Amino acid sequence: MLNRIWNFCCSLKLAIYLASATTLLLMGGSLLVPANWRIFGGMDQLALGDWFSQVAVHAPQKTWWLYLAALTMLLFGINTLCCFLDWLGNIRSRWRKSGEYLLHLGVVLVLIAYAWGSAAGWRNNGLRCQIGGLTPLPDWPGHYLRVDSFKPLLSGNGPPRDMISQVSLLQGDEVVLRGTVQINQPLRHKGLVVTPVSFGQQPVGFKVLIQGSQPTELIPGRQIILTDGSRLDVLRFLPDARRQRNGEIFYRSDQLGNPAFELSYQSTNGQSWRGWYFVRERLPADLAAQGVKLRPLSPVLQNYSALTVNYDPGASLAAVGSGLMTIGVLLALFSFYRKRKTLDRPDIA
């Protein structure tokens, strides 16, 4: 009984059935994609495991074929692994088929790598990295990306020819990797891949006139000593903020809309104030009462490089599997033509 089950698992017919079923499911199911772009349009922006748990689970009537295709691919991988193990057990009599079974092993490794990457990998698309600033990687706690310099190569009015960023990867305060990121030259590190997407400018503060003096930039972290010795600290800046009826302030977007600053004021006589100042509104009454005069001039813009950061822990395993498949194909071809030359199989034309 066990022998019959094992022979079934190693069966070539089973491999053909499973491969055919997978192909039919993928080809047939792909016909649903154009008409359901809201469901399938973001598949390449998420790891497959995240897409199944966040998107596919809410539309089972449109995505059932992917679940079946994943199941048939899993069964096909098991079938291929059984064939390889069966060959290992009879390698003395089947060593001439080494190429074919290296191809089997390569397929198994690629499938394992794909499943591993889908379950444990992640994708961050279009992270806006300010030049010189630290950008935390949301799915990799304790790790940060820093763009040390950025240079776009423009080509007239069309898209840029290249976007060159000098990037550092940090674990805590320690730099673990430095490299150059270009359109055709991603930065790679233990399954991590960093590629450029776009670039631009984003508002980080405002240039203002304070007490009629020279223009000053209000940006977070800036401390300004006024003419009377009092101090104004810039705590936070929101490019587009909203004030609720209960007084709470909410962030809305990175685009310049209704900019607001959280400020702290300390006078020379010990009086203090802390609150929000909306650029499009009048200066808060408590600040105006202290004689503070502030007139906004223009936003302060800072360059950023938008980078896509993907992590695939199975990438190295997939590379090994691909290498074994290539070697297996070459050995199989060599064996085939050698047998023809020696008339080992004269019936093959």
Side-chain angles (χ1 to χ4, degrees):
M1 182 65 178
L2 291 178
N3 190 48
R4 291 180 61 186
I5 294 175
W6 177 253
N7 289 335
F8 175 75
C9 292
C10 300
S11 170
L12 177 60
K13 289 184 178 180
L14 177 61
I16 294 173
Y17 292 149
L18 291 173
S20 300
T22 303
T23 303
L24 290 174
L25 284 168
L26 292 176
M27 291 180 62
S30 64
L31 299 177
L32 297 173
V33 172
N36 298 277
W37 197 246
R38 292 182 62 183
I39 299 174
F40 299 102
M43 283 187 71
D44 60 343
Q45 298 177 8
L46 294 170
L48 189 59
D50 293 336
W51 183 83
F52 271 117
S53 62
Q54 298 176 21
V55 180
V57 70
H58 300 296
Q61 72 281 5
K62 303 291 185 179
T63 60
W64 59 268
W65 56 276
L66 275 172
Y67 288 96
L68 285 181
L71 176 61
T72 55
M73 288 179 68
L74 173 62
L75 295 176
F76 178 71
I78 294 173
N79 167 254
T80 307
L81 179 60
C82 289
C83 290
F84 177 76
L85 294 177
D86 186 66
W87 172 74
L88 280 181
N90 300 274
I91 192 170
R92 289 186 178 181
S93 59
R94 301 182 185 176
W95 65 270
R96 291 186 179 183
K97 295 187 176 182
S98 298
E100 299 173 25
Y101 287 97
L102 282 179
L103 181 60
H104 282 56
L105 180 60
V107 170
V108 172
L109 292 181
V110 169
L111 289 175
I112 292 174
Y114 188 77
W116 186 12
S118 298
W122 44 261
R123 296 185 179 184
N124 295 136
N125 296 288
L127 287 179
R128 289 190 176 186
C129 302
Q130 294 182 3
I131 313 304
L134 293 180
T135 303
L137 299 178
D139 299 285
W140 204 1
H143 290 77
Y144 304 87
L145 207 60
R146 185 181 68 205
V147 177
D148 300 311
S149 65
F150 174 71
K151 180 182 179 182
L153 299 180
L154 305 178
S155 56
N157 296 326
R161 290 187 292 110
D162 208 343
M163 295 175 283
I164 306 173
S165 299
Q166 298 296 327
V167 175
S168 297
L169 176 66
L170 293 86
Q171 183 176 4
D173 297 328
E174 180 184 358
V175 177
V176 296
L177 183 68
R178 282 193 177 95
T180 302
V181 177
Q182 297 178 231
I183 290 180
N184 293 317
Q185 184 182 325
L187 180 67
R188 302 177 185 273
H189 176 70
K190 297 181 179 179
L192 190 76
V193 181
V194 183
T195 55
V197 178
S198 64
F199 65 94
Q201 292 183 318
Q202 64 183 24
V204 295
F206 250 80
K207 185 177 290 187
V208 299
L209 283 177
I210 299 180
Q211 311 289 67
S213 61
Q214 294 296 321
T216 302
E217 291 185 350
L218 285 187
I219 57 177
R222 180 67 56 86
Q223 184 180 95
I224 302 170
I225 304 300
L226 305 181
T227 54
D228 62 353
S230 56
R231 189 182 74 199
L232 187 67
D233 293 303
V234 184
L235 305 179
R236 281 196 292 170
F237 171 71
L238 300 180
D240 189 12
R242 178 183 178 185
R243 193 201 308 269
Q244 298 288 89
R245 291 184 178 180
N246 59 6
E248 293 185 12
I249 307 299
F250 285 90
Y251 159 88
R252 290 200 296 191
S253 74
D254 287 330
Q255 303 300 318
L256 194 63
N258 190 22
F261 288 94
E262 186 180 13
L263 303 174
S264 174
Y265 174 79
Q266 184 73 40
S267 68
T268 55
N269 58 13
Q271 294 183 343
S272 62
W273 173 88
R274 177 172 176 172
W276 285 89
Y277 161 54
F278 281 78
V279 175
R280 300 184 186 278
E281 301 177 4
R282 293 183 178 181
L283 199 67
D286 291 339
L287 275 183
Q290 296 292 330
V292 178
K293 297 180 181 179
L294 187 153
R295 182 163 67 91
L297 299 176
S298 60
V300 177
L301 303 177
Q302 187 176 71
N303 294 330
Y304 69 84
S305 175
L307 303 173
T308 290
V309 185
N310 298 337
Y311 175 64
D312 183 359
S316 298
L317 186 61
V320 173
S322 300
L324 290 176
M325 291 170 66
T326 302
I327 295 172
V329 169
L330 294 175
L331 287 177
L333 287 173
F334 174 78
S335 175
F336 172 75
Y337 285 107
R338 184 176 180 276
K339 289 175 180 178
R340 286 187 61 185
K341 186 176 181 180
T342 59
L343 301 179
D344 192 4
R345 292 185 178 180
D347 58 320
I348 298 179

